[in-house]
Amino acid sequence: MVLAIAESERVRGTTSPNPPVGCVILDESGKAVGFGATQPIGGPHAEVMALKEAGTKAQGGTAVVTLEPCAHHGRTPPCTEALTEAGIKHVIHAVSDPNPRAAGGAKVLSDSGITVESGLLEQEVSRGPLRAWLHYARTGRPHVTWKYAATLDGRTAAQDGTSQWISSEASRKEVHDMRAKLDAIVVGSGTVGKDNPALTARDADGIPLGRQPLPVVVGMSDLPPGAKLRNTALHLRTHVPDEVLAALAERGVVDVLLEGGPTLAGAFIRAGRVDRVLAYIAPALLGDGPAAVLGAGVSTITDAVRLTVEEVTMSGPDVRISAVPRT
């Protein structure tokens, strides 16, 4: 399953609105003989790719897959059919498919005489490559990660407005690598006017990576004539988070990174549309300067948005915190 998760991660960002699934085929002796991941929309699913590599060695073997194999006819035939025809005798999947149109694969396989197990490394898969798609399948909304960098005393810029660089080079590289696996990056029109971002995913030399997310600007104001995003971004003239997410869902966007300023972050938090917070905390103090969020709708401590910390790790000299709203 660890190998299947790695296959899933390898294609994350290339499959939306389909899930980035990973699959490993084991032969009868338990040796890995086929690896596969979901191809871009319209292409084969992970199971089909892994079976193709395994060939006749799949006969009597096991399929280990991150998501329950689909049982419906969509753009491609059902994966349950491919697994059955290949002679697979055992299927292990991490997560059951929450999409009612595609669910039921486990029962179809079981009815065909195939042994089916579920739940192996379910948490790792649900918090990993399939996190955004599972949210999208359950809610119909893109998954939103709010990412910000701040000092230990919570400042995202100095009093004079300068903010480059609060986070370390290691953190910035990590964010650029993450951007290349996302569907869209969202900022407010105020951030465009202030910082003139490009919202591209770049390598350590500043060269754009092969895959780029969709840049999205939210706000009523026209973009300045010299803005880097003027001719590349999707400009959504609204301040309503649900209208932003609906417009992105229509375009097949599943995984969104919110990188706007404190006002935009506050609007999404107030609307309950931040699904994950990713904070890079630098070991520095500024004393004065803007905070990470404004207007979140919290007026008293009892209204605080409480989070559950999933992970705390180091990113160079910075502390990276991943947290999700409590349910």
Side-chain angles (χ1 to χ4, degrees), residues 89-264:
K89 296 301 181 184
H90 188 193
V91 172
I92 303 170
H93 66 269
V95 181
S96 297
D97 197 326
N99 183 350
R101 211 165 63 87
K107 185 178 186 306
V108 170
L109 292 169
S110 182
D111 289 346
S112 300
I114 295 174
T115 303
V116 180
E117 296 180 56
S118 66
L120 180 62
L121 297 189
E122 181 177 5
Q123 181 171 289
E124 287 82 351
V125 170
S126 297
R127 290 183 178 180
L130 283 181
R131 179 201 293 264
W133 183 84
L134 289 169
H135 171 86
Y136 178 80
R138 290 165 180 153
T139 67
R141 297 190 308 269
H143 179 278
V144 177
T145 296
W146 171 42
K147 188 277 298 180
Y148 72 94
T151 59
L152 272 174
D153 54 345
R155 305 300 178 181
T156 58
Q159 190 173 25
D160 64 358
T162 55
S163 60
Q164 294 183 324
W165 295 103
I166 284 179
S167 60
S168 67
E169 184 177 343
S171 294
R172 298 195 299 275
K173 181 185 183 303
E174 186 174 283
V175 169
H176 278 284
D177 290 343
M178 178 173 57
R179 282 180 172 184
K181 296 180 178 181
L182 297 166
D183 295 326
I185 302 178
V186 178
V187 298
S189 55
T191 294
V192 174
K194 178 176 173 288
D195 297 334
N196 193 20
L199 301 188
T200 53
R202 302 181 296 277
D203 66 15
D205 297 320
I207 299 172
L209 298 174
R211 186 186 179 279
Q212 296 293 323
L214 171 70
V216 181
V217 178
V218 174
M220 307 303 291
S221 303
D222 291 336
L223 303 189
K228 296 174 184 175
L229 295 174
R230 188 173 174 85
N231 298 315
T232 60
L234 171 65
H235 189 179
L236 300 175
R237 294 180 183 271
T238 179
H239 291 128
V240 181
D242 277 343
E243 292 180 0
V244 173
L245 296 178
L248 294 179
E250 287 178 1
R251 290 165 171 80
V253 169
V254 172
D255 202 354
V256 173
L257 188 67
L258 186 67
E259 283 202 3
T263 301
L264 185 65

Side-chain angles (χ1 to χ4, degrees), residues 23 25 33-36 45-59 62-63 79 81-88:
C23 179
I25 302 297
V33 293
F35 297 82
H45 290 186
E47 296 92 328
V48 173
M49 295 296 293
L51 288 169
K52 182 179 179 180
E53 184 174 285
T56 58
K57 295 177 182 177
Q59 182 75 35
T62 298
C79 293
E81 189 176 287
L83 291 164
T84 303
E85 291 177 353
I88 289 293

